[in-house]
Amino acid sequence: PPPVEIRIETRVLPKTKKNLEEQAKREAYEKQLEEERKQQEKLNQAQQQKLQMEKFEKERHKIEQEKKRHEEERRRKEEEEQKSTLEGRLAKFVSDLTHNQTPSEFSLSGVEMSNVRWRILASCLKNNLTLKDLHLSRKGITDEEGEEIIKSLKNNNMLEKLEMEGNQLGKSSARQIGEYLATNDKLKYLDLEGNELYDTDIVDTTSIIALAEGIKKNQCLISINLSYCNLDRECGRILAQAMRENQTIIHFDFRGNEFPLEIVRDITNSLKRNKELYNMYRLEEWKERKIAHREDEYTEMIDITLQQEHIKKMNIISREEAGKREKESRWEEERLKKEYEMKREMEKLMNEAKKRQEKGKNKKRGKSKKKKK
């Protein structure tokens, strides 16, 4: 078909007031539509960016989970291989931990350790119910290994003493120790001397704050050693504030740290207060034990008296039964004797009757012979 020509005619309206108002309205409307279109485009772009970010986060999370799974699998294989090569004291200790047959106290002094062996030990400590004192001093434990060990102890509610003096623990371990103390109600002695729990070059007190929070919430720890842990004034202030709320710690060794005199006095006052509370509780416990001891003695005396009365009753009953048995025995003897005598008498009477019968027969025979003659 032939091409269609399209002609656009532009008609210029006269500039009357009404036409100008209509033109202003059209322009405003077109401007509003343009703004809405731009906003919609921005909204669409933001939604697309959000979707892309969500997709990216999902992919990243998936990759991280996969890496984590591969890492856990690799660690598990390493631990299984190492377990098969364990020998000596360490092999026995791991076996005893697994079967809850450990002595109450154990030290790894003289035992060669590695990263994988520390992980094996940590996994065995989780559910142990027999170990009470664990000595891990001067074993070169790194911050990562220390974090693994403390994590495993969160499920252990039997350990009363933990010594990790002279290792290489750092901020991560300090944070885990704080979380451990916040929920633990069994540990009484904790030694962390000589570990750099704080880095003065990097001003980050989050690990010390976590440790202080654990001290605040803990209600069983008696002694803590943080001497020579590279703690500065700010760390001392945080720990002093925690000690104001703690009521059980009576021994706090903080030598070798940069604590000013006012913080030292503050901590010392808290320790004095806790010591007075400790002595008061001990005195009350002693009185309660004394009262309980007296009650036990009184109960024991009552038990002895009751036992003696029971023994007397049993003796009386046994004598009565013995007398009864003796009477029954005599009665039985007399009965048997009477039966025997009656039997003898009957036999005697029977013999006499037989004799009389024979005599009668003989008399009859003699008479019959006389008649015949």
Side-chain angles (χ1 to χ4, degrees):
V4 179
E5 292 185 0
I6 299 173
R7 292 180 181 180
I8 299 174
E9 294 182 358
T10 304
R11 189 174 60 176
V12 179
L13 296 174
K15 295 183 179 181
T16 61
K17 185 178 179 181
K18 184 178 179 180
N19 292 336
L20 290 173
E21 288 177 356
E22 289 179 357
Q23 185 179 356
K25 287 181 181 179
R26 283 196 302 272
E27 289 176 355
Y29 178 69
E30 290 173 356
K31 187 177 181 181
Q32 183 181 356
L33 290 177
E34 183 67 19
E35 288 177 356
E36 289 178 357
R37 185 183 63 77
K38 288 180 179 179
Q39 288 178 359
Q40 187 64 35
E41 287 179 356
K42 288 181 180 179
L43 184 63
N44 292 336
Q45 288 177 358
Q47 287 179 348
Q48 288 178 359
Q49 288 178 356
K50 185 179 178 181
L51 290 172
Q52 289 177 356
M53 287 296 294
E54 289 178 355
K55 185 178 180 181
F56 174 75
E57 286 294 327
K58 286 181 181 179
E59 290 293 331
R60 188 176 64 82
H61 180 70
K62 185 177 179 181
I63 293 169
E64 287 179 355
Q65 289 294 324
E66 191 68 18
K67 285 182 179 179
K68 186 178 179 182
R69 189 180 64 79
H70 285 305
E71 180 65 17
E72 289 177 353
E73 185 69 19
R74 182 186 66 79
R75 286 160 65 100
R76 186 183 61 80
K77 287 181 179 179
E78 283 182 350
E79 290 172 12
E80 288 179 355
E81 291 174 359
Q82 279 287 324
K83 274 186 180 180
S84 62
T85 61
L86 293 179
E87 57 185 12
R89 288 177 59 209
L90 182 60
K92 186 178 185 308
F93 183 53
V94 169
S95 175
D96 291 345
L97 281 173
T98 306
H99 298 93
N100 289 314
Q101 296 176 351
T102 60
S104 61
E105 182 177 1
F106 190 81
S107 172
L108 284 174
S109 176
V111 178
E112 186 178 350
M113 298 297 290
S114 63
N115 184 273
V116 181
R117 290 187 171 188
W118 284 122
R119 293 205 306 266
I120 294 171
L121 180 66
S123 64
C124 295
L125 283 170
K126 285 182 180 178
N127 302 312
N128 181 263
L129 300 174
T130 54
L131 187 66
K132 292 186 176 181
D133 297 356
L134 181 59
H135 302 271
L136 303 176
S137 299
R138 302 184 183 280
K139 297 300 298 178
I141 303 173
T142 63
D143 193 25
E144 181 184 355
E145 293 164 350
E147 183 181 10
E148 194 82 23
I149 293 169
I150 301 301
K151 277 183 181 178
S152 69
L153 291 177
K154 289 180 182 178
N155 296 327
N156 185 304
N157 202 30
M158 292 298 295
L159 202 66
E160 295 181 0
K161 185 175 183 180
L162 178 62
E163 291 187 2
M164 301 185 76
E165 173 257 334
N167 287 295
Q168 301 168 20
L169 307 183
K171 293 188 295 184
S172 299
S173 298
R175 190 177 297 107
Q176 289 299 326
I177 290 168
E179 294 176 4
Y180 171 53
L181 292 178
T183 56
N184 183 269
D185 59 355
K186 197 71 175 179
L187 192 72
K188 289 181 171 58
Y189 305 93
L190 177 62
D191 186 359
L192 300 173
E193 178 184 351
N195 291 281
E196 293 194 4
L197 302 180
Y198 178 69
D199 189 354
T200 53
D201 296 331
I202 304 173
V203 182
D204 181 11
T205 58
T206 54
S207 58
I208 303 301
I209 291 172
L211 179 60
E213 285 296 320
I215 291 174
K216 281 182 188 179
K217 296 177 182 179
N218 189 273
Q219 297 180 1
C220 64
L221 194 68
I222 293 175
S223 174
I224 183 169
N225 187 352
L226 295 179
S227 58
Y228 301 98
C229 287
N230 199 34
L231 305 178
D232 62 6
R233 181 191 185 96
E234 181 62 18
C235 297
R237 187 189 63 78
I238 295 168
L239 293 171
Q241 186 178 0
M243 283 299 297
R244 292 192 204 109
E245 299 186 29
N246 180 277
Q247 295 184 351
T248 59
I249 295 175
I250 59 176
H251 178 264
F252 186 174
D253 192 345
F254 48 83
R255 295 170 299 161
N257 296 303
E258 298 178 4
F259 291 178
L261 185 59
E262 61 270 17
I263 289 176
V264 172
R265 286 175 180 168
D266 197 355
I267 295 175
T268 304
N269 290 334
S270 298
L271 291 173
K272 286 180 180 178
R273 180 205 63 211
N274 291 353
K275 182 64 175 175
E276 290 174 359
L277 290 172
Y278 178 77
N279 291 336
M280 184 181 68
Y281 293 147
R282 290 292 298 273
L283 180 61
E284 290 177 358
E285 289 176 0
W286 177 79
K287 289 179 179 178
E288 289 176 359
R289 285 198 301 270
K290 193 173 181 181
I291 293 169
H293 182 65
R294 288 176 181 173
E295 290 177 353
D296 291 341
E297 287 182 346
Y298 179 69
T299 305
E300 188 177 355
M301 288 174 63
I302 292 174
D303 291 339
I304 292 170
T305 306
L306 292 173
Q307 288 177 4
Q308 290 175 349
E309 291 179 358
H310 180 69
I311 291 169
K312 286 180 182 178
K313 287 181 181 179
M314 292 302 295
N315 289 335
I316 291 169
I317 292 170
S318 61
R319 286 198 297 270
E320 289 177 352
E321 290 180 351
K324 187 177 179 181
R325 286 195 298 270
E326 187 178 354
K327 286 181 181 179
E328 290 176 352
S329 178
R330 286 201 301 270
W331 291 343
E332 185 68 16
E333 287 178 1
E334 290 178 0
R335 186 182 66 78
L336 292 173
K337 187 176 180 182
K338 286 179 180 179
E339 286 182 356
Y340 180 72
E341 288 177 354
M342 288 177 66
K343 189 176 180 181
R344 290 286 301 276
E345 189 68 25
M346 289 294 293
E347 288 179 353
K348 185 177 179 182
L349 292 173
M350 292 291 291
N351 291 332
E352 289 179 354
K354 285 181 181 180
K355 287 179 181 179
R356 285 197 297 272
Q357 190 177 7
E358 288 178 357
K359 283 182 181 180
K361 287 180 180 180
N362 291 332
K363 284 181 181 181
K364 287 180 180 180
R365 287 175 187 168
K367 287 180 180 181
S368 60
K369 285 181 179 179
K370 286 179 180 181
K371 287 179 180 180
K372 288 179 180 179
K373 288 179 179 181

